[in-house]
């Protein structure tokens, strides 16, 4: 009997397999939602956002003069930005906590060998772990949408902003989840996996924004200082450099997207006028959140593939 | 006339239920297997032969290379050199086919704390691609087999060590494997749990499974094994069926007869029987005379000796064949070295 006869394989690409047909995903979801832990975490998460929203509301309405909020729209925008910012911060801390122990935990619990001697393919193990962690993280994100929507009561926030914010949060969550899973597979110990995942997360959410902010300010000042004297090529390069820098991290992508949304009234694509000694050129610009989304999803995919390869590899 | 007592210290499996083993039909085979960790050679040119249907005890001191061999056979580790075959599949070339053929229980294993007993088996059944529709009955049958039906809805971490071991054994069976590879299945268990695991292994052998297990506990191995392999410093120093190993180590068979009296007369009667090589008097025990008989021949010769003594009216209290216990075999073939 050949192996092909003995071992029928499921058809279809592994990436598109139904996650609910994945025993690891089902086990993890069942375990995660069992008991009070999942609900306590969700409640604490929402209470933190509620508390922060109330605080922002009280400050912005009682001290309008101090903060210069002259309209309800600005209050709404402040609330929305604050809530999304806090969600990003919370996801930054929760995503690694849910994923960095996913595979290293199996090794430490001495269940990894049991799994690896079953017929469970490596991709199902990795995807199942990631899927269950992301499911819970998305539950947190979706549960906070009504709180984000409070901003609509004050005006100043468009529906498209809420959608873009959700996309940026979702993509960040997926990328951080994939980072956690990758380090969890790459490290044998959960502690080491946690440290490397948090180090990478902090680099993405704090280090990169600071670095890119400095470069952005530099680019912007170069663009405005040079004005028409700067050559068109340099101006275009600086403009695209700005978009590329913003796409490296969620904070910059969100703030530049919002800024261009207000100033250029475009959430996707617009033309920027570049004036130089040679004339006026219309430069096509893609809103940074789109590039950010594409880059982070690509990185997440690469990390998942590397995770699968790591899980599939046999000890030498 | 005193009651006769015949004893044999062979396998505990009753003759009618002992698995029929074809020594040429190998379900596990390694050819010159080598495993090195840096400068340390854990497995050194190992030639392992496990016949289908055998209960094969893999015996050796700590660090002899048992676990490394098992990890290679279970596709968890790559060999440095040599080949390993399980159920006809080369482990490095067809790991998926090997995984389908084996049920593996490592020496140390964990359980998922947040699962119920039935969920644990259901999860692993799903990992082995058992259709959901047939899992419920399968789980019930397995829990019955390992006597854990009454704990079906309990959380796994509430089970005792012995129960977890039995649950893990049930887990190895969810996909009806041909061979069970069990690394120290009785280690760390209390005497009762050890007996239960041993009985389960015998039961599984009766169901047609080949059982390949490692153990430090020679009494357990001697109790249930049909075959043994003794490994030392990564090399197989001896392997085969228990009987063949005993025969290899002892050039002839031995019996001891205990008499009420007339030892000299018995000695001359026995010496006259064809096939008896020598008869020697042993020190008395509680006033009873004892003779050691060295002989070459089949079991009929044992019967002839008893009949000859009885025909002369010599009062026999006890007559038994002396077989070498596994501990003496082990001590004889190993040198006490580890790799």
């Amino acid at each position: 009997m050949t192996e092909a006869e003995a071992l029928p394989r499921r058809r279809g690409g592994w990436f598109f397999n139904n996650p609910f047909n994945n025993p690891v995903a089902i086990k993890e979801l069942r375990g995660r939602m069992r008991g009070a832990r999942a609900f306590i975490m969700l409640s604490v998460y929402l209470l933190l956002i509620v508390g922060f929203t109330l605080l922002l509301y009280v400050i912005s309405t009682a001290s309008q003069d101090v903060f210069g909020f002259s309209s309800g729209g600005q209050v709404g925008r402040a609330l929305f930005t604050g809530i999304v910012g806090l969600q990003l911060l919370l996801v930054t801390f929760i995503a690694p906590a849910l994923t960095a122990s996913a595979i290293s935990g199996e090794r430490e619990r001495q269940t990894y060998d049991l799994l690896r001697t079953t017929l469970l393919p490596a991709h199902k193990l990795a995807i199942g772990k990631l899927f269950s962690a992301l499911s819970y993280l998305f539950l947190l994100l979706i549960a906070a949408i009504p709180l984000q929507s409070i901003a609509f009561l004050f005006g100043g926030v468009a529906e498209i902003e809420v959608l873009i914010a959700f996309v940026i949060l979702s993509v960040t969550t997926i990328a951080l989840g994939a980072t956690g899973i990758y380090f969890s597979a790459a490290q044998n110990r959960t502690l080491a996996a946690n440290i490397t995942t948090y180090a990478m997360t902090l680099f993405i959410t704090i280090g990169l924004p600071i670095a890119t902010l400095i470069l952005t300010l530099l680019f912007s000042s170069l663009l405005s200082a040079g004005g028409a004297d700067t050559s068109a090529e340099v101006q275009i390069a600086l403009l695209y450099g700005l978009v590329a820098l913003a796409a490296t991290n969620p904070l910059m992508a969100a703030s530049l997207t919002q800024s261009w949304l207000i100033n250029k009234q475009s959430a996707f694509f617009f033309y920027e006028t570049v004036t130089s000694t040679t004339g006026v050129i219309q430069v096509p610009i893609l809103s940074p959140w789109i590039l950010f989304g594409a880059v982070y999803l690509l990185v997440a995919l690469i990390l998942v593939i590397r995770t699968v390869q790591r899980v599939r590899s046999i000890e030498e | 006339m005193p009651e006769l007592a015949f004893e044999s210290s062979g396998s505990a499996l009753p003759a009618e239920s002992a698995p029929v083993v074809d020594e040429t039909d190998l379900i596990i085979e390694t050819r010159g297997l080598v495993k090195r960790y840096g400068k340390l050679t854990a497995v050194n040119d190992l030639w392992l032969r496990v016949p289908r249907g055998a209960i094969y005890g893999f015996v050796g001191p700590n660090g002899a290379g048992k676990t490394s061999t098992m990890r290679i056979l279970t596709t968890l580790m790559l060999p440095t050199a040599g080949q390993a075959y399980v159920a006809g599949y080369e482990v490095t070339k067809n790991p998926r086919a090997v995984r389908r053929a084996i049920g593996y229980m490592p020496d140390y294993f964990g359980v998922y704390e947040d699962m119920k007993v039935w969920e644990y088996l259901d999860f692993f059944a799903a990992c082995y691609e058992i259709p959901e529709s047939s899992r419920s009955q399968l789980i019930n049958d397995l829990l019955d087999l390992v006597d854990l039906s009454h704990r079906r809805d309990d959380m796994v971490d509430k089970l005792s060590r012995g129960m977890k071991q039995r649950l893990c054994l049930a887990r190895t069976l969810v996909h009806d494997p041909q061979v069970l590879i069990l690394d120290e299945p009785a280690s760390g268990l209390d005497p009762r749990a050890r007996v239960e695991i041993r009985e389960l292994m015998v039961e599984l052998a009766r169901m047609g499974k080949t059982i390949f297990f490692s153990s430090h506990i020679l009494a357990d191995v001697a109790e249930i094994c049909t075959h043994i392999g003794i490994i030392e410093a990564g090399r197989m120093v001896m392997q085969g069926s228990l009987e063949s190993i005993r025969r290899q180590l002892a050039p002839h068979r031995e019996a001891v007869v205990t008499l009420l009296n007339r030892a000299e007369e018995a000695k001359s009667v026995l010496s006259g029987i064809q096939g008896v090589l020598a008869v020697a008097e042993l020190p008395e025990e509680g006033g009873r005379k004892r003779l050691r008989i060295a002989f070459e021949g089949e079991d009929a010769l044992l019967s002839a000796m008893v009949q000859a003594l009885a025909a002369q009216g010599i009062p026999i209290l006890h007559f038994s064949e002396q077989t070498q216990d596994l501990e003496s075999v082990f001590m004889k073939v190993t040198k006490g070295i580890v790799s």
Side-chain angles (χ1 to χ4, degrees), chain B residues 234-248:
Chain B
R235 283 180 186 278
M236 189 69 84
V237 288
M238 182 160 273
Q239 72 176 321
S241 69
L242 273 179
E243 274 315 301
S244 70
I245 283 181
R246 285 192 179 113
R247 282 201 195 112
Q248 280 178 54

Side-chain angles (χ1 to χ4, degrees), chain A residues 3 7 34 106 113 315, chain B residues 71 94 100 112 114 119:
Chain A
E3 191 190 358
L7 305 167
R34 176 169 279 154
E106 294 279 350
D113 285 352
E315 185 186 340
Chain B
R71 287 181 69 77
N94 285 310
R100 190 171 284 250
Y112 298 106
D114 53 0
E119 287 173 346

Side-chain angles (χ1 to χ4, degrees), chain B residues 45-101:
Chain B
D45 192 27
L46 186 78
W47 294 73
L48 177 69
R49 295 167 63 85
V50 181
R52 190 181 297 273
I55 305 181
Y56 190 108
F58 196 34
V59 186
N62 286 333
K66 302 189 294 295
T67 298
S68 292
T69 307
M70 286 187 153
R71 287 181 69 77
I72 292 169
L73 292 173
T74 51
T75 74
L76 289 170
M77 189 191 270
L78 291 171
T80 310
Q83 292 92 43
Y85 299 86
V86 176
Y89 298 106
E90 226 263 67
V91 291
T92 56
K93 291 182 180 149
N94 285 310
R96 192 174 157 82
V98 170
R99 286 169 190 165
R100 190 171 284 250

Side-chain angles (χ1 to χ4, degrees), chain A residues 127-179:
Chain A
I127 302 270
K129 292 278 184 186
L130 183 61
F131 176 79
S132 69
L134 289 181
S135 299
Y136 187 72
L137 287 163
F138 273 92
L139 175 67
L140 298 183
L141 293 183
I142 291 166
I145 285 180
L147 291 170
Q148 286 178 11
S149 305
I150 288 174
F152 288 131
L153 298 174
F154 297 92
V157 179
E159 288 86 347
I160 189 72
E161 281 181 84
V162 178
L163 274 175
I164 291 173
F166 188 74
V167 169
I168 290 176
L169 281 172
S170 302
V171 169
T172 308
T173 304
I174 291 169
L176 293 182
T179 307

